[in-house]
Amino acid sequence: MLLSCTSPDPVAGGPAAEPPTTAAADAPAPPPAPSVYSWLPAGRYQPSQTVAARFAPPAGYQRVAVAAGSFGQWLRYLPLLPAGTPVKLYNGQPKDRQDVHAAVLDLDVGQRDLQQCADAVIRLRAEYLFSQNPDQVHFHLTSGDDVGFKDWYSGRGFAVKGDDVLPAARPAEAPSHPNFRRYLNQIFTYAGTLSLSKELQPTPLAQVQAGDVLIRGGSPGHAVLVLDVAVQPATGRRLVLLAQSYMPAQQMHVLTNLWDETGLGAWFYLDPQQERVSTPEWTFRKTELRRFE
C-alpha cells in the first residue's frame, strides 16, 4: 500500500474550514508569529524570505484579503530558501528539471520517498492545523479509515494487513513536533491523490482562494496547492501562486509560469473560460479545483 503521485493513492481531509474572502487587501493581515512554522529551528524564520516578500503581485493586481490566523495567511508567509536554490530530492540528488520552479520552500522533505505531490499538500495543511491545535489533525487512509494525531499519540495506532487497517496499540507519547512528523510518515504511506480528491470539495476556478488544491486522483495523479491569490480590482480577474512536490519525493517548490509573456512571473491565471489548467509538469481539467472543508 505504499502509494505515490502516479499510483492509486489515498489521503485526507482537514477540519477547519476557511470562509472565502473576495475583497482585495487594503491593509494586509500581518505575518503570523514565526513559531507557527513549527519545523523551523528557533531564529531561522526571516520575514524577508517568505512567499509574500518574494512574490509581489503583477502591476494592476493586489493580494486578496485573508483573515488573521487563517490557512491563507499562514501560506502567504511560508518561509523560502534563498533565491536560486535548486530543488533536491529526498536523497539529496537534484531534481531532473530545474526550470519549473521560482523558489523552494524552507520545508524538510524527509529521508524517504514519501512526501510526494498529495503528501506535500497534506504536510502543509497538517502543519497549519498543528500550529492551531494538534488535536485537530486527522486524515483518511485509502481504506477510508480516519486516523487522528490525537489517537495516534495517545497510544491508538494502526497496522495494515493486506487491504485491512486494524487497530494496534503503540506507546503513548507527547504531541510534540517530532512525534507529529512520525505520524505524518504513516499517513503519507497509506494516503494520496485518490482519497484526497474524494474528500475535498469541488470549487469553481473563478472563486479560487489560497489553500485550494488542483488535484487529479488516481494513477496517474497529481496535486498542486494554491499558495496565494491576487485580484485585478477593475475586472475581478484572479491570479494564483502555485506550489508542488512531485515524484520521487522532493522539496516543495513555487512553480514558475513557463508560457506567459506578459510579466506574470510566478503567477498563473486560472481562466474559467478554458477547459484546462496548465502547470509546468501537469495539466488539470478546470473541474479539478477543490477545497478543504
Side-chain angles (χ1 to χ4, degrees), residues 104-285:
V104 181
L105 270 60
D106 191 357
L107 175 75
D108 64 280
V109 69
Q111 297 179 333
R112 299 166 61 192
D113 190 8
L114 291 177
Q115 194 171 291
Q116 298 184 3
C117 57
D119 309 297
V121 174
I122 293 170
R123 172 74 188 278
L124 288 183
R125 180 66 176 177
E127 290 281 5
Y128 165 70
L129 294 174
F130 182 88
S131 75
Q132 304 297 301
N133 178 358
D135 292 350
Q136 289 184 338
V137 178
H138 70 98
F139 293 97
H140 289 79
L141 310 182
T142 298
S143 61
D145 293 87
D146 189 357
V147 180
F149 179 51
K150 182 177 181 180
D151 289 336
W152 193 85
Y153 75 70
S154 298
R156 298 186 294 277
F158 67 93
V160 176
K161 303 293 184 183
D163 292 334
D164 297 323
V165 178
L166 306 174
R170 60 180 308 281
E173 301 175 294
S176 66
H177 194 268
N179 291 334
F180 169 70
R181 285 292 286 113
R182 286 193 286 274
Y183 157 83
L184 282 179
N185 280 343
Q186 280 207 301
I187 298 298
F188 296 162
T189 302
Y190 300 110
T193 58
L194 185 59
S195 57
L196 183 57
S197 66
K198 291 178 179 178
E199 295 191 26
L200 301 177
Q201 299 304 306
T203 300
L205 284 182
Q207 298 175 19
V208 63
Q209 67 183 40
D212 289 348
V213 185
L214 285 163
I215 186 165
R216 171 89 49 84
S219 179
H222 191 43
V224 170
L225 180 68
V226 178
L227 289 184
D228 207 352
V229 180
V231 66
Q232 189 175 51
T235 65
R237 174 180 163 122
R238 289 185 170 215
L239 305 179
V240 298
L241 290 174
L242 301 173
Q244 69 167 21
S245 177
Y246 207 53
M247 60 178 298
Q250 55 199 249
Q251 291 174 300
M252 200 170 191
H253 44 281
V254 181
L255 292 170
T256 192
N257 194 329
L258 293 176
W259 311 281
D260 181 76
E261 298 178 355
T262 62
L264 293 186
W267 295 85
F268 290 76
Y269 175 44
L270 306 189
D271 187 350
Q273 304 305 314
Q274 299 296 318
E275 294 300 317
R276 297 287 185 266
V277 177
S278 295
T279 69
E281 294 186 285
W282 197 270
T283 298
F284 297 92
R285 304 180 188 97

Side-chain angles (χ1 to χ4, degrees), residues 5-165:
C5 283
T6 56
S7 63
D9 302 344
V11 177
E18 180 180 349
T21 48
T22 56
D26 296 319
S35 60
V36 303
Y37 303 104
S38 308
W39 64 92
L40 291 179
R44 179 155 164 167
Y45 187 85
Q46 300 294 324
S48 61
Q49 298 293 323
T50 64
V51 171
R54 186 85 57 87
F55 297 104
Y61 290 83
Q62 55 191 82
R63 283 187 154 92
V64 167
V66 291
S70 66
F71 190 34
Q73 184 211 28
W74 187 89
L75 291 171
R76 180 169 289 174
Y77 292 100
L78 279 169
L80 300 175
L81 292 172
T85 298
V87 177
K88 292 184 179 179
L89 307 181
Y90 70 97
N91 58 11
Q93 296 299 308
K95 175 183 170 77
D96 285 342
R97 291 194 65 178
Q98 295 290 333
D99 63 328
V100 301
H101 72 281
V104 181
L105 270 60
D106 191 357
L107 175 75
D108 64 280
V109 69
Q111 297 179 333
R112 299 166 61 192
D113 190 8
L114 291 177
Q115 194 171 291
Q116 298 184 3
C117 57
D119 309 297
V121 174
I122 293 170
R123 172 74 188 278
L124 288 183
R125 180 66 176 177
E127 290 281 5
Y128 165 70
L129 294 174
F130 182 88
S131 75
Q132 304 297 301
N133 178 358
D135 292 350
Q136 289 184 338
V137 178
H138 70 98
F139 293 97
H140 289 79
L141 310 182
T142 298
S143 61
D145 293 87
D146 189 357
V147 180
F149 179 51
K150 182 177 181 180
D151 289 336
W152 193 85
Y153 75 70
S154 298
R156 298 186 294 277
F158 67 93
V160 176
K161 303 293 184 183
D163 292 334
D164 297 323
V165 178

